[in-house]
């Protein structure tokens, strides 16, 4: 067997090129999936050129996961997947529709679900990282995610499936009586899933429509509010294709949010609010420290609705002076009578020799408490 030092060809450049070739067009309608942030929706609707590229690996992985999960739902359960809906102002691409038996009976047998729903249900698949997973379990879908799927469901209720190639027979159904919406969250790191389902709300759907109307009514994207708190504080902003257009170029060492203060009056107001919030947080922090002390020494496990784990408490790594002395002796170097650890370490590094370390059981890393939501059975 031949061992080669050449690195295998990465498939990520190919994945990025394929993603870049996906059909995109100048938008005259707002996409339901673009209703995450009002200002970003405005940039898209007005045909602004994106100012930021950014890393797309997570998004591409999410696309691949979507494709596999939805294909399985179609093959095993006969659900309708990846179908278009639209009206004069909004368009959308629904992940999955689980038709009820009455509606499904109006379709040819090959299009009927093997597992019909009690009420027609619109499902959206969301992939999340482990970092976001606890929020998913505790709070479920965000307002923006609910708005997106409500728009899908409302389009299906009012217009039915779009009359386009590949879904003509579905379009003949006309308006579909959607009764529920469902979110299927997938953890990209562990494969865990979490399902959240709720009844369709006509009132909330009207609210989502109103949100779209406000975006369409704005003469420029800059008139629209920023939905999130900006780069460094929001993952959505960190990866937004219009990050620079929205927040501008910030001076070195400054936070992007600093552009929101224009004069001393605004600075005084922000400072006053900061002091007020600090006073409100103080008793909560003190209470949290007390509860942390009460839990000290508790065994990891599931307690009620929460899961308790601990991290840290491990021996720290320190330079192993005895091992360094042995290295010097083997190399024929003079060992100082009183070994100078810093000088010996510098000489070993200069020679390209790893500095030996040992674990010191008397010096340990701090112990951190980790509390996450218990996954509901």
């Amino acid at each position: 067997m031949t061992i080669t030092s050449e690195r295998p060809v990465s498939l990520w450049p190919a994945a990025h090129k394929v993603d870049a070739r996906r059909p995109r067009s100048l938008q005259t309608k707002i996409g339901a999936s673009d209703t995450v942030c009002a200002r970003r929706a405005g940039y898209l609707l007005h045909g602004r050129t994106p100012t930021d590229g950014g890393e797309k690996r997570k998004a591409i992985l999410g696309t691949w996961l979507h494709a596999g999960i939805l294909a399985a739902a179609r093959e095993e359960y006969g659900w309708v997947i990846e179908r278009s809906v639209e009206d004069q102002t909004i368009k959308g691409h629904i992940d999955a529709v689980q038709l009820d038996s009455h509606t499904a009976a109006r379709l040819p047998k090959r299009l009927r679900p093997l597992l019909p729903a009690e009420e027609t249900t619109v499902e959206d698949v969301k992939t999340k990282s482990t970092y976001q997973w606890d929020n998913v379990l505790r709070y479920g879908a965000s307002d923006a995610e609910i708005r997106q799927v409500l728009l899908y469901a409302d389009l299906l209720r009012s217009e039915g499936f779009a009359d386009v190639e590949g879904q003509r027979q579905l379009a003949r159904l006309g308006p579909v009586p959607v009764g529920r919406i469902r979110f299927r969250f997938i953890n990209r790191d562990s494969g865990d899933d979490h399902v959240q389902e709720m009844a369709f709300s006509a009132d909330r759907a009207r609210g989502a429509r109103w949100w779209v109307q406000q975006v369409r009514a704005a003469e420029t994207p800059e008139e629209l509010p920023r939905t999130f708190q900006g780069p460094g504080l929001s993952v959505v902003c960190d990866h937004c294709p219009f990050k620079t257009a929205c927040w501008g170029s910030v001076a070195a060492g400054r936070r992007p949010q600093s552009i929101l203060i224009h004069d001393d009056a605004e600075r005084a107001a922000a400072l006053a609010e900061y002091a007020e919030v600090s006073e409100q947080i103080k008793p909560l922090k003190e209470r949290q420290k007390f509860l942390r002390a009460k839990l000290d020494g508790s065994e990891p496990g599931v307690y009620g609705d929460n899961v308790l784990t601990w991290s840290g408490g491990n021996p720290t790594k320190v330079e192993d002076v005895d091992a360094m002395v042995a290295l010097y002796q083997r190399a024929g170097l003079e060992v100082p009578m009183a070994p100078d650890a810093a000088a010996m370490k510098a000489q070993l590094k200069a020679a390209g020799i790893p500095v030996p370390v040992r674990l010191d059981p008397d010096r340990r890393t701090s112990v951190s408490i980790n509390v996450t939501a218990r996954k509901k059975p």
Side-chain angles (χ1 to χ4, degrees):
M1 182 176 70
T2 304
I3 298 176
T4 176
S5 60
E6 292 183 8
R7 186 177 180 179
V9 174
S10 173
L11 291 178
W12 281 117
H16 280 87
K17 288 178 181 177
V18 170
D19 182 71
R21 288 197 296 269
R22 289 172 61 200
R24 295 175 173 91
S25 59
L26 181 64
Q27 297 190 205
T28 57
K29 300 180 181 181
I30 292 179
S33 61
D34 296 323
T35 59
V36 173
C37 169
R39 185 170 290 194
R40 185 166 84 177
Y43 285 130
L44 290 167
L45 190 62
H46 286 264
R48 296 289 182 86
T49 302
T51 54
D52 300 85
E55 176 55 59
K56 294 187 176 180
R57 294 187 186 188
K58 290 180 181 179
I60 292 171
L61 284 173
T63 300
W64 291 348
L65 276 172
H66 265 80
I69 290 166
L70 295 177
R74 180 188 59 212
E75 292 174 17
E76 292 298 315
Y77 305 132
W79 293 358
V80 176
I81 68 165
E82 297 183 313
R83 297 301 177 181
S84 299
V85 287
E86 64 179 327
D87 64 8
Q88 292 76 23
T89 59
I90 311 169
K91 63 181 181 179
H93 200 69
I94 301 176
D95 279 350
V97 180
Q98 185 182 10
L99 295 170
D100 65 81
S101 55
H102 177 73
T103 303
R106 297 164 55 199
L107 290 170
K109 264 191 174 181
R110 62 185 177 81
L111 293 178
R112 296 175 192 171
L114 299 175
L115 182 66
E118 291 183 9
E119 297 179 277
T120 293
T121 302
V122 170
E123 175 168 317
D124 199 58
V125 176
K126 301 290 186 188
T127 61
K128 302 286 183 177
S129 66
T130 296
Y131 174 76
Q132 302 166 301
W133 198 243
D134 189 56
N135 279 344
V136 168
L137 296 181
R138 288 186 185 280
Y139 309 117
S142 67
D143 288 342
E145 290 167 337
I146 293 173
R147 178 168 56 243
Q148 174 190 348
V149 183
L150 281 172
L151 287 171
Y152 289 152
D154 197 50
L155 286 169
L156 201 53
R157 284 170 62 95
S158 60
E159 306 293 328
F161 292 96
D163 190 5
V164 296
E165 189 66 35
Q167 55 181 58
R168 304 287 188 197
Q169 288 181 312
L170 290 170
R172 292 192 189 106
L173 290 172
V176 177
V178 177
R180 304 189 69 77
I181 63 174
R182 180 194 299 136
F183 296 89
R184 190 176 303 275
F185 297 99
I186 307 294
N187 186 316
R188 286 192 298 266
D189 305 312
S190 67
D192 287 347
D193 66 337
H194 174 69
V195 175
Q196 178 187 3
E197 193 169 314
M198 62 186 74
F200 173 83
S201 167
D203 286 342
R204 294 187 74 175
R206 280 193 291 271
R209 290 274 191 172
W210 178 87
W211 189 98
V212 171
Q213 290 167 5
Q214 303 313 299
V215 171
R216 293 186 63 84
E219 293 186 5
T220 67
E222 287 73 23
E223 292 179 19
L224 295 164
R226 300 176 176 95
T227 304
F228 298 92
Q229 293 183 317
L233 300 178
S234 164
V235 175
V236 174
C237 294
D238 288 339
H239 300 288
C240 179
F242 299 100
K243 179 172 64 175
T244 302
C246 185
W247 292 92
S249 300
V250 184
R254 288 255 185 120
R255 299 281 183 92
Q257 293 77 6
S258 62
I259 67 169
L260 301 177
I261 290 185
H262 303 94
D263 52 39
D264 285 348
E266 291 184 355
R267 190 168 287 106
L271 192 59
E273 185 178 359
Y274 182 90
E276 181 183 352
V277 171
S278 297
E279 284 300 313
Q280 294 172 351
I281 289 175
K282 185 179 178 182
L284 293 175
K285 283 188 172 180
E286 290 174 352
R287 180 65 180 171
Q288 186 183 46
K289 287 180 181 178
F290 173 70
L291 294 170
R292 164 65 178 82
K294 284 179 67 175
L295 290 165
D296 194 41
S298 297
E299 289 294 322
V302 177
Y303 299 94
D305 293 332
N306 296 291
V307 179
L308 172 65
T309 58
W310 300 95
S311 59
N314 303 311
T316 57
K317 291 181 179 180
V318 297
E319 287 86 17
D320 191 336
V321 177
D322 292 338
M324 282 193 277
V325 169
L327 282 174
Y328 266 63
Q329 289 173 339
R330 284 200 296 272
L333 299 173
E334 182 180 352
V335 179
M337 292 300 293
D340 183 343
M344 295 172 74
K345 185 166 69 171
Q347 191 168 349
L348 287 172
K349 283 185 175 180
I353 301 173
V355 176
V357 295
R358 63 180 177 83
L359 295 177
D360 185 349
D362 297 323
R363 297 170 60 186
R364 294 181 175 270
T365 59
S366 59
V367 177
S368 299
I369 187 171
N370 306 303
V371 181
T372 56
R374 176 184 184 179
K375 183 176 179 181
K376 299 295 187 294

